[in-house]
Amino acid sequence: MVVISDCFRCFLLFFCCFLLFSLSPVPFVLVLTSNRGLCGGYNSSVLRLAGQRLKELNKARKNQMLEVSGKRGLAFCKFEKLDVAHAYTHFEDKPAFSEVDELASRYAEMYINGVVDRIDVIYTRFQSISRQTAVTE
């Protein structure tokens, strides 16, 4: 009888750990780059920052969801052999509100439902014509 209860406890502990691991939210990283390669500093600084953030998450042994906007970011992810959950190349210089609202609603729903525990957006912040900096927010 004692052996059965010990086995049952082990199974129960394993099952609870499995559920916690499989249902635990994961970090979400969204990388925004350009579709054209004419913006060397713009893309390279964003991709450098994205690479650092992904290495931090891998070092912490956290699985992450990665989504990329822009052909330059997709080329980087392909070269680095990174798994990309979704890729967006249809955005131009001035995306329509409806396009962005669709993505924002999906991200908010993922956060509210506990699928992701944080959303890191890596992009270039415009400060002036001569100064743009890559940031993570």
Side-chain angles (χ1 to χ4, degrees), residues 45-61:
S45 58
V46 167
L47 294 174
R48 190 176 315 112
L49 193 59
Q52 291 171 354
R53 179 66 184 138
L54 293 171
K55 283 180 186 175
E56 289 172 9
L57 292 172
N58 285 336
K59 190 181 285 186
R61 298 180 187 254

Side-chain angles (χ1 to χ4, degrees), residues 46-128:
V46 167
L47 294 174
R48 190 176 315 112
L49 193 59
Q52 291 171 354
R53 179 66 184 138
L54 293 171
K55 283 180 186 175
E56 289 172 9
L57 292 172
N58 285 336
K59 190 181 285 186
R61 298 180 187 254
K62 290 188 174 183
N63 293 329
Q64 72 271 349
M65 290 180 64
L66 174 64
E67 292 193 5
V68 179
S69 175
K71 292 178 183 175
R72 298 300 121 208
L74 287 174
F76 171 79
C77 291
K78 184 177 180 180
F79 179 78
E80 294 289 328
K81 296 179 176 67
L82 299 172
D83 293 327
V84 177
H86 284 92
Y88 307 102
T89 57
H90 63 280
F91 294 116
E92 292 301 323
D93 294 338
K94 296 180 181 178
F97 177 79
S98 59
E99 295 173 323
V100 177
D101 184 47
E102 180 181 326
L103 295 178
S105 298
R106 187 168 65 84
Y107 298 151
E109 184 178 321
M110 288 169 56
Y111 180 76
I112 290 168
N113 291 335
V115 176
V116 297
D117 63 349
R118 65 182 290 152
I119 299 174
D120 291 336
V121 181
I122 303 174
Y123 68 99
T124 299
R125 176 181 287 155
F126 179 82
Q127 294 174 334
S128 69

